[in-house]
Structures are given as structure tokens and as C-alpha cells.
Amino acid sequence: MKIRKAVIPVAGKGTRFLPATKQVPKEMLPIINTPMIHYAVEEAVNSGVEELIFVTSSGKEAIENYFDRNLELERFLEVNGKHEMLKTVHRIGTMVEIVSVRQKEQLGLGHAINCARTLIGNEPFAVILGDDIILHETPITKQLIDVSEKFGAKSVIGVMEVDRNETNKYGIVDGNFLDGSKSTLLMNKMVEKPRPEDAPTNIATPGRYILTAEIFDCLKEIPKGVGGEYQLTDAINMLCGKDQVYAHIFKGDRFDTGCIDGYLDATVEFALRDPQTRKIMEEIIKEKVKKYNLG
Ligand code: G1P
């Protein structure tokens, strides 16, 4: 069954980026001139998703406006001969169908996904957490869709290996690699943020999922978990007992832009990757290395 819909939760408070996020949604903070949420949406669109569901909260209207047309701006760019930027702005406003649903209380990621239940209906869907930007010529969500289709539209969790002492930041999966595969596992459980000494493995999700609609039955049943929140991980763990659930080690460069370290890393790296800004960033780095006696 084709994956037509993706859920992108954007209701979080973004406390790690306060005070900026007092007024600006963290998803709208830019890496150079592109808001972080743009990468998640582009990933969905380039993976064949036709409809996006934002799970929002109050104060997040700027995100919906960003993906809407802005006719006044388009006219201004046209009159002033800024044709390239006009194309970019027009594309952002027309790239995908977006609907949103409010998460009225912040009760966890599981609760956020459950808010999209009626909009999803009875079909498999993707979940993309925008805190991580993951770049590869085949978008990570597409990589997971391919695995899901291979096994007859099953759930697939995007995973990567992390340092053992970082397991308490992630949902950690356990399972067995399929015969002859070094990248796909049949899962037998998933644990939310275990301490390193309790973690079954060091295979973690940075927040990419293909889920079957059965997840909603599990979301209904799970009790509150880590942090007193309804955890998507706990629902996936329950799903492992009812159906085959796979985990797939994705290919790509990952930037954890949900924290200041990763945000800075992405900013420098993206400037170096873009031919238009590469020289400028090179000069800045050289000058700072000298000025602060680095390296
Ligand atoms: C959430 C999920 C966790 C996942 C992580 C990826 O946690 O609950 O399983 O590994 O996103 O970023 P959060 O980072 O929102 O606390």
C-alpha cells in the first residue's frame, strides 16, 4: 500500500532554544536561510508523500504560513525581477497539501501521533521528527518506505548506531538482523531512553518511522511512560507483539538540530556544502582559528 501521508509533530515548546522560541517556533529557526522544518517537509515530498499532517499547538501558525502562498511577496519579487527567488517562494507555497491538527495538551510523542488518528484513517503512514535533519540522495523516509513495501507494508523504524552512553537520549530497538542483511532487523522490542546499563542494544531511532494503522490501537492502550508522557516507543513495543515490525539502519548524514551543538554543526557544514557560501565560511573559519589560537 502506498505511503501517501506523513505526520510531522510540531507542538513542542523548543525550550533548548529559548529565548528565541518564546515567540518563534523552533521549527522556523533557520540553518542559514532555510527553516529547519523545510528539510523535514522536503524529505517527505521527495519520498512521494502527498499529504502532510502537522500536529501543532498555539503559537505555531508561522509554520503553516511558511508553506502557504504569499501572493503579495510573489508579486513584489516579480515586479523587481527576482525570478529565481520567486520560483523558490512559489514552490514552497505549493509543494504539498498540508492539514493540521491541534495537540491541546503536551502529553508526549505518542499522544501527538494519536491526534492525527482520524486524519490518517486506515492506511500506513510516515512520521518525521524535524529535530534531526538527515541528508542522502535517497531521502531516509523513502529508504524506509522501500523496506516497508518489500515486506508487504509493515512498520519500519529508521535507526542508527549510537555511542553506548547516549542510549538514554533515544528510543532503542532490539531484534535480529535478517539473514544476509547488515542493515535490516526484525524487531522484538523497543525501549524509550534506557540507561546505558539497561539498554538492550545501541541501535537508536533519530525519529523516522513508517507505521501501520494498528499503531493507533496500541496508542490507545499504553500507559504513561518515561517522563510521565505517552511514548510512541511504548506503542511500537506493543506492536512488536502483534505484527512484524522492522528496523532499518539508514544511509545518510545526520544533524541533531534539536540541540545547540547540532544546530551549530549543521550551520557550518551546510555553509561549506553550498558553493555560494563555501568561500565565505572557509575565510571565517581560518580567521577564527588564528584569532582564538585554535587547533
Ligand atoms: C523522541 C522519541 C525518541 C527518539 C527521539 C529522536 O524523543 O521519544 O524515541 O529517539 O525523539 O529525536 P525526544 O527527543 O522528543 O525526547
Side-chain angles (χ1 to χ4, degrees), residues 2-292:
K2 188 174 170 354
I3 305 288
R4 299 187 309 119
K5 299 180 182 178
V7 179
I8 305 188
V10 294
K13 296 229 175 303
T15 45
R16 276 182 266 190
F17 286 92
L18 279 169
T21 46
K22 190 172 165 227
Q23 202 47 37
V24 178
K26 82 167 170 194
E27 295 78 8
M28 289 304 295
L29 297 178
I31 309 288
I32 309 178
N33 60 354
T34 302
M36 289 197 249
I37 186 71
H38 183 109
Y39 293 94
V41 171
E42 190 118 58
E43 177 186 319
V45 172
N46 291 339
S47 300
V49 166
E50 293 159 8
E51 186 180 314
L52 274 184
I53 298 160
F54 283 143
V55 181
T56 70
S57 57
S58 80
K60 298 285 184 156
E61 298 76 13
I63 302 175
E64 286 155 82
N65 292 341
Y66 177 79
F67 291 103
D68 196 359
R69 296 280 302 274
N70 182 336
L71 297 179
E72 201 183 324
L73 175 62
E74 288 183 27
R75 226 169 287 127
F76 174 85
L77 293 171
E78 182 159 21
V79 168
N80 288 280
K82 311 259 185 216
H83 300 297
E84 273 311 301
M85 190 43 74
L86 173 61
K87 249 196 258 166
T88 304
V89 166
H90 177 83
R91 177 166 178 272
I92 294 167
T94 54
M95 69 206 264
V96 67
E97 203 54 52
I98 291 184
V99 290
S100 40
V101 58
R102 285 276 176 126
Q103 183 186 20
K104 293 181 181 158
E105 280 180 280
Q106 313 296 290
L107 298 178
L109 179 60
H111 178 259
I113 301 305
N114 207 22
C115 293
R117 178 189 202 113
T118 49
L119 292 169
I120 293 290
N122 197 24
E123 55 184 297
F125 61 101
V127 173
I128 299 177
L129 305 189
D131 272 357
D132 283 75
I133 298 176
I134 301 168
L135 300 178
H136 190 266
E137 54 192 8
T138 306
I140 166 169
T141 291
K142 177 74 173 83
Q143 295 175 34
L144 303 183
I145 289 174
D146 290 345
V147 175
S148 171
E149 281 173 356
K150 187 165 148 195
F151 294 108
K154 296 293 180 188
S155 298
V156 183
I157 317 303
V159 292
M160 61 195 181
E161 289 191 49
V162 297
D163 208 282
R164 262 273 161 192
N165 55 33
E166 293 204 321
T167 56
N168 57 1
K169 290 198 205 157
Y170 300 97
I172 300 291
V173 309
D174 192 11
N176 298 303
F177 280 100
L178 300 181
D179 284 347
S181 169
K182 289 198 178 88
S183 54
T184 308
L185 305 92
L186 180 59
M187 282 169 55
N188 52 38
K189 71 173 170 186
M190 186 162 184
V191 195
E192 180 69 1
K193 304 197 174 97
R195 293 181 307 179
E197 57 272 35
D198 301 328
T201 68
N202 63 336
I203 307 176
T205 182
R208 296 296 190 280
Y209 316 80
I210 304 297
L211 297 169
T212 58
E214 281 72 43
I215 196 70
F216 293 115
D217 296 334
C218 302
L219 285 168
K220 238 189 331 196
E221 283 179 47
I222 51 162
K224 285 184 178 171
V226 170
E229 298 189 333
Y230 293 102
Q231 297 292 350
L232 180 60
T233 294
D234 293 343
I236 294 170
N237 185 47
M238 188 180 280
L239 190 61
C240 288
K242 301 184 182 202
D243 195 5
Q244 288 116 292
V245 179
Y246 295 89
H248 182 71
I249 300 181
F250 60 84
K251 294 198 182 79
D253 297 330
R254 173 217 173 210
F255 301 89
D256 178 8
T257 48
C259 65
I260 299 281
D261 301 19
Y263 183 79
L264 286 174
D265 179 25
T267 304
V268 175
E269 170 104 17
F270 288 19
L272 289 171
R273 283 185 184 207
D274 182 343
Q276 292 206 16
T277 46
R278 186 185 174 103
K279 268 257 141 290
I280 306 167
M281 187 50 100
E282 265 178 31
E283 289 308 316
I284 292 173
I285 293 171
K286 279 187 206 149
E287 197 247 324
K288 299 297 173 207
V289 168
K290 235 196 256 160
K291 183 170 172 188
Y292 292 99

